[in-house]
Amino acid sequence: MDLLRFITCGSVDDGKSTLIGRLLYDSDSVSLDVLAALENRPTVHGTVDLALLTDGLRAEREQGITIDVAYKYFTTPRRKFIITDAPGHVQYTRNMVTGASTADLAIVLVDARQGVVEQTRRHSLIASLVGIRHFVLAVNKMDLVGNEQAVFDQIVADYAAVADQLKLPQVTAIPISALLGDNIVTRSKNLSWYTGPSLLEHLESVPAFEEATMGEPRFQVQFVIRPQTDDYPDYRGYAGRIQSGEYRRGDRVYILPSGQESVIEAIEVDQREVESAAAPQAVVLRLTDDVDISRGDSIVPVGSQIHVAKEVEATICWMDERPLWPGRKLLVQHHSAVVKAVVAAITYKVNVRTFGRAATESAQLNDIVGIRLKTAAPLVVDSYQHNRATGAFILVDELSGDTLAAGMVEAMQNSFVPEPLGFTI
Amino acid sequence: MSTPHFDYLDRLEAEAIHILREVAGQFERPALLFSGGKDSIVLTRLAEKAFRPGRFPFPLVHVDTGHNFPEVLQFRDELAAQLGEKLIVRSVEDTIKRQRLREPGGKFPSRNPLQTYTLLETIEEFQFDACIGGARRDEEKARAKERIFSVRDEFGQWDPKRQRPELWNVYNGRIQRGENVRVFPISNWTELDVWRYIQRENIALPSIYFGHPRTCVVLPSGQLLGLNEHLRLDETDEIVERQVRFRTVGDSTCTAAVESDAATIDDIIEDLLSAKVSERGATRLDDNISEAGMEDRKRNGYF
């Protein structure tokens, strides 16, 4: 059985929490005691308020809105699902980015009465920026527009323009009513003109994890294992996770950014030696040479098109209340590697309504901007488009430790692609 | 290149090992909170996979309520010895004496709320900057909101509105002096996932997880509580002999048993697949006090 992570997004009151509640409820994933607690609460409609299954914080129940990301789980005979329920409010856009960054699929909810609105565009933009490949346009509240096919068709046509602008790879449109359960788990007679799959049928059949195991081999050292015991006097293993691709015993590799060369002597999984291992496995690599390697270094096969760069251009989503100005010094955390950096320039700001780019002097909370970043030590990166693992980073405030931004590498300046033989920085 | 197949347990395992290694790489003085329950036992198995043939880069720490099941304590000590890892035990009893705290009253005097005091004292004593725990997001709705790296202030408080964004699998553990981070490597696992992993890895567990005869008190709710010396019973309380097991091992004064003949892990999974009541709903007496009970306790530093 495999795993699919998906996010629900859309504007406030589009019914995201109700949709998730409905998926959990109709797939028989809600425990009786949890349900009983819901049934004890008075509701406006006189029915169980399914949204309460996800809004877990006191402030959320008080205000009837989703503030922070909630994670929910359910399993069908075909698949295990991790649902990320992200907030719809503009001021919680950073939480939506948080949820989208780990998702394989995005359900973009649209209220059939409202059609495509600004938040639909904003969330589609963010989901596409973080590299989500599969999109579901879920046109909700179809019961409130008389289940009219024409309404659905018009929204699908409107969204096609968005999908086109953002070059979304795959969009599946499904008319639903989360409140009534139409086309959520099973296809509904109320929408008999619709011949496609129900939402759950689609979620069960969409391919998961295509990109994780594909691509060039990438591995970053998290921790050096050196037991120094009688049994293992000279053991030195590099523990980390294969970020993409596959590693084989005997591979010739570079250690980056230093550029030293070695050969993989052994790949260990749970102390067993294996011939090969692939993303997303957590492994220990041992090399034939006693080279200087520490946390944050990358080990990649000779011939990889990975870049070693001290200057990158990146798209970021700024997540701090205090605005970002050029010249700001901060930390870049690129998985296990942390380096000092300076924001040399803010090159553009994305208009979330038009998706156009405009000049800007600063980045405010929730802005999506392009920056040029100079780092004190080289980063070992791919462009985000090329590799979702090695092209991603966060910006961190050195003093407070706060996470300031999500970043995606677009291009590298003055970078080296390590060449076989004689490579030096 | 053929794509190797990894199922969801492989993926959850890889994610958890990655998180444990990030803790080892990012913190000076981490600890693994270890109760002898199934979730923390799974964490020790994951730590073996993350750090062997080296030693764990953290001690195991148990906050002993003094109301634990003796079978669990025995298992705790045996497992720590077998792993060859350091076990630190600090007791709520001592905290109560030292801080002159009031013992909980009532018929079922749970010491769960008091654990927080001992935990915070222990964090201070050893200057732990990260505490790894076995909490899962499926346990409770406030937990569903929690990040994998969850920053606490110097008073151990969690502020759900001020959580750091957590992007991709890039975990930011940078903190200021006095703060610490709670880390939950199996956040994305459900109770069933934990059991399936225990089954797959053939992990040994304390005997109380399996069906066994036990003398129990019948609560007004119909729930069964194992008879022990901490309960303050009335003459009218009904005492029965039942075949039971526990789904979770907590404070024995507030952790109810479920009737079950399950003798093996396979049986338990069968049980779970047909169970219609959540783990906490079935077993905990103290979460239902108010709708935000867990959220409020977590805000104050509860795990």
Side-chain angles (χ1 to χ4, degrees):
Chain A
M1 189 159 63
D2 65 10
L3 176 65
L4 184 84
R5 295 178 193 240
F6 67 90
I7 182 170
T8 52
C9 42
S11 193
V12 183
D13 291 335
D14 278 351
K16 291 188 299 296
S17 299
T18 307
L19 173 69
I20 294 169
R22 178 56 74 182
L23 270 173
L24 297 173
Y25 186 74
D26 284 4
S27 62
D28 224 10
S29 313
V30 184
S31 306
L32 291 180
D33 54 315
V34 176
L35 207 56
L38 289 189
E39 282 165 350
N40 287 336
R41 290 178 58 98
T43 62
V44 186
H45 314 291
T47 55
V48 173
D49 186 350
L50 293 172
L52 293 173
L53 285 172
T54 61
D55 287 337
L57 299 177
R58 182 195 295 276
E60 293 178 321
R61 288 187 295 273
E62 280 166 7
Q63 298 171 48
I65 59 162
T66 306
I67 291 171
D68 204 347
V69 180
Y71 299 89
K72 289 282 165 186
Y73 307 85
F74 75 105
T75 306
T76 68
R78 297 188 58 180
R79 207 165 243 183
K80 176 183 166 82
F81 295 96
I82 299 180
I83 315 177
T84 305
D85 178 24
H89 273 270
V90 180
Q91 67 262 43
Y92 301 120
T93 299
R94 60 181 173 183
N95 293 338
M96 195 248 153
V97 179
T98 293
S101 68
T102 53
D104 306 303
L105 176 146
I107 299 177
V108 179
L109 243 83
V110 169
D111 184 330
R113 297 167 303 175
Q114 310 288 333
V116 173
V117 296
E118 185 178 325
Q119 277 299 74
T120 319
R121 297 176 65 85
R122 183 192 299 269
H123 287 168
S124 300
L125 170 70
I126 291 168
S128 103
L129 263 182
V130 300
I132 292 177
R133 299 178 56 79
H134 301 284
F135 285 77
V136 175
L137 175 69
V139 181
N140 191 22
K141 310 193 185 183
M142 285 301 294
D143 53 308
L144 299 182
V145 295
N147 294 316
E148 284 286 338
Q149 185 178 1
V151 176
F152 175 72
D153 289 345
Q154 183 59 51
I155 292 170
V156 172
D158 292 345
Y159 193 74
V162 177
D164 197 42
Q165 269 181 296
L166 293 173
K167 300 187 179 66
L168 302 185
Q170 196 218 9
V171 181
T172 303
I174 305 175
I176 62 168
S177 165
L179 193 67
L180 302 179
D182 291 340
N183 283 350
I184 304 294
V185 169
T186 51
R187 282 175 245 193
S188 167
K189 288 192 189 77
N190 297 332
L191 296 153
S192 56
W193 45 266
Y194 171 78
T195 54
S198 73
L199 179 62
L200 186 62
E201 285 167 356
H202 179 69
L203 294 174
E204 284 185 316
S205 59
V206 89
F209 287 103
E210 303 162 88
E211 77 277 19
T213 43
M214 296 195 317
E216 285 196 337
R218 299 286 183 256
F219 174 94
Q220 204 186 29
V221 177
Q222 291 185 273
F223 188 74
V224 182
I225 297 177
R226 284 181 64 217
Q228 294 176 296
T229 56
D230 293 345
D231 291 345
Y232 298 92
D234 302 316
Y235 183 99
R236 185 187 289 261
Y238 303 102
R241 176 139 90 148
I242 299 177
Q243 296 168 297
S244 58
E246 187 181 33
Y247 281 74
R248 302 192 151 274
R249 192 164 65 89
D251 280 348
R252 279 178 60 218
V253 290
Y254 280 131
I255 291 90
L256 298 174
S258 72
Q260 306 164 86
E261 212 178 306
S262 189
V263 173
I264 295 181
E265 183 177 84
I267 302 173
E268 295 176 13
V269 175
D270 192 19
Q271 293 191 268
R272 277 179 303 104
E273 289 195 17
V274 294
E275 275 303 302
S276 68
Q281 272 183 292
V283 299
V284 176
L285 300 184
R286 285 191 288 117
L287 303 179
T288 51
D289 304 281
D290 213 1
V291 281
D292 171 22
I293 303 179
S294 49
R295 175 173 159 84
D297 288 347
S298 291
I299 300 176
V300 299
V302 168
S304 277
Q305 290 297 302
I306 197 163
H307 289 255
V308 180
K310 285 181 77 173
E311 193 175 340
V312 296
E313 289 183 15
T315 309
I316 65 164
C317 176
W318 186 249
M319 299 178 156
D320 198 43
E321 272 85 12
R322 292 155 298 175
L324 170 70
W325 295 89
R328 170 83 182 263
K329 292 199 171 114
L330 32 66
L331 297 174
V332 176
Q333 186 178 347
H334 180 241
H335 295 273
S336 307
V338 180
V339 301
K340 290 192 180 198
V342 61
V343 176
I346 303 178
T347 47
Y348 62 83
K349 177 181 163 179
V350 178
N351 182 322
V352 295
R353 283 181 295 277
T354 63
F355 307 146
R357 292 178 175 188
T360 184
E361 295 194 327
S362 67
Q364 311 291 322
L365 176 66
N366 293 322
D367 276 355
I368 294 159
V369 299
I371 60 167
R372 213 169 68 241
L373 197 63
K374 286 187 177 173
T375 56
L379 295 172
V380 182
V381 290
D382 292 286
S383 74
Y384 190 77
Q385 200 184 9
H386 190 68
N387 193 315
R388 209 175 157 182
T390 48
F393 63 87
I394 61 172
L395 298 179
V396 175
D397 187 295
E398 198 170 1
L399 286 177
S400 69
D402 289 345
T403 300
L404 302 171
M408 290 148 282
V409 174
E410 278 192 77
M412 304 63 130
Q413 305 296 334
N414 307 318
S415 68
F416 295 87
V417 175
E419 299 275 346
L421 296 175
F423 158 75
T424 49
I425 286 187
Chain B
M1 186 183 97
S2 66
T3 309
H5 180 76
F6 297 114
D7 77 358
Y8 75 103
L9 277 183
D10 297 323
R11 294 181 189 282
L12 292 175
E13 178 193 68
E15 178 180 78
I17 294 172
H18 175 247
I19 292 162
L20 286 171
R21 286 172 172 170
E22 279 304 295
V23 174
Q26 291 193 32
F27 296 95
E28 299 282 322
R29 282 174 298 278
L32 190 152
L33 298 190
F34 180 72
S35 65
K38 65 182 185 308
D39 299 307
S40 56
I41 290 170
V42 163
L43 284 181
T44 62
R45 181 75 191 95
L46 291 163
E48 287 186 278
K49 294 200 177 198
F51 303 112
R52 292 291 186 241
R55 291 192 53 171
F56 293 179
F58 36 70
L60 310 177
V61 172
H62 185 218
V63 174
D64 186 341
T65 57
H67 287 178
N68 287 290
F69 296 92
E71 303 95 314
V72 175
L73 294 185
Q74 191 190 336
F75 188 92
R76 174 198 76 185
D77 294 341
E78 284 168 9
L79 183 61
Q82 186 203 320
L83 289 168
E85 299 294 345
K86 186 177 176 189
L87 173 69
I88 295 169
V89 179
R90 287 293 177 272
S91 86
V92 171
E93 192 78 46
D94 291 344
T95 311
I96 291 173
K97 285 186 190 138
R98 194 161 41 240
Q99 296 196 20
R100 300 202 175 94
L101 299 175
R102 188 196 290 264
E103 274 275 10
K107 286 185 66 167
F108 310 109
S110 161
R111 279 178 168 176
N112 262 352
L114 296 177
Q115 277 184 74
T116 303
Y117 293 88
T118 311
L119 175 63
L120 296 180
E121 272 190 353
T122 310
I123 288 172
E124 219 168 283
E125 178 186 350
F126 293 94
Q127 297 285 300
F128 291 132
D129 50 3
C131 296
I132 303 162
R136 308 185 318 264
R137 287 173 176 151
D138 79 321
E139 287 178 76
E140 209 276 338
K141 59 195 170 203
R143 284 215 160 128
K145 294 275 172 182
E146 188 145 351
R147 304 280 193 258
I148 288 171
F149 271 40
S150 186
V151 179
R152 308 298 164 116
D153 68 14
E154 56 188 316
F155 302 101
Q157 296 179 112
W158 177 66
D159 183 352
K161 278 193 171 179
R162 290 199 51 81
Q163 297 202 87
R164 284 179 183 167
E166 195 158 83
L167 300 143
W168 298 285
N169 48 15
V170 185
Y171 300 106
N172 174 8
R174 182 164 281 259
I175 48 173
Q176 291 176 294
R177 202 178 176 77
E179 293 178 334
N180 63 84
V181 176
R182 309 294 163 93
V183 181
F184 304 108
I186 59 169
S187 279
N188 285 325
W189 301 38
T190 61
E191 183 186 15
L192 190 58
D193 297 335
V194 168
W195 280 106
R196 288 205 161 124
Y197 191 73
I198 288 167
Q199 179 186 47
R200 187 179 94 170
E201 300 287 316
N202 203 11
I203 295 171
L205 292 177
S207 57
I208 67 165
Y209 281 112
F210 302 96
H212 58 280
R214 188 174 281 262
T215 309
C216 297
V217 188
V218 184
L219 302 176
S221 61
Q223 286 171 300
L224 298 168
L225 208 55
L227 189 63
N228 64 64
E229 76 264 26
H230 309 295
L231 303 180
R232 298 169 194 145
L233 298 182
D234 300 321
E235 303 245 317
T236 52
D237 281 315
E238 188 188 349
I239 309 291
V240 293
E241 284 289 328
R242 290 287 160 79
Q243 184 78 7
V244 297
R245 68 177 184 86
F246 291 85
R247 278 172 81 174
T248 167
V249 301
D251 185 322
S252 61
T253 56
C254 69
T255 307
V258 291
E259 286 198 68
S260 172
D261 293 322
T264 65
I265 290 165
D266 292 2
D267 295 343
I268 290 172
I269 290 176
E270 275 304 304
D271 252 19
L272 269 181
L273 287 172
S274 55
K276 282 291 178 191
V277 180
S278 77
E279 183 176 343
R280 286 191 169 266
T283 59
R284 292 292 171 94
L285 309 187
D286 56 344
D287 284 346
N288 303 326
I289 298 163
S290 78
E291 191 161 32
M294 174 69 91
E295 181 182 339
D296 293 343
R297 274 156 51 195
K298 283 165 70 69
R299 278 173 181 275
N300 291 326
Y302 182 77
F303 220 69

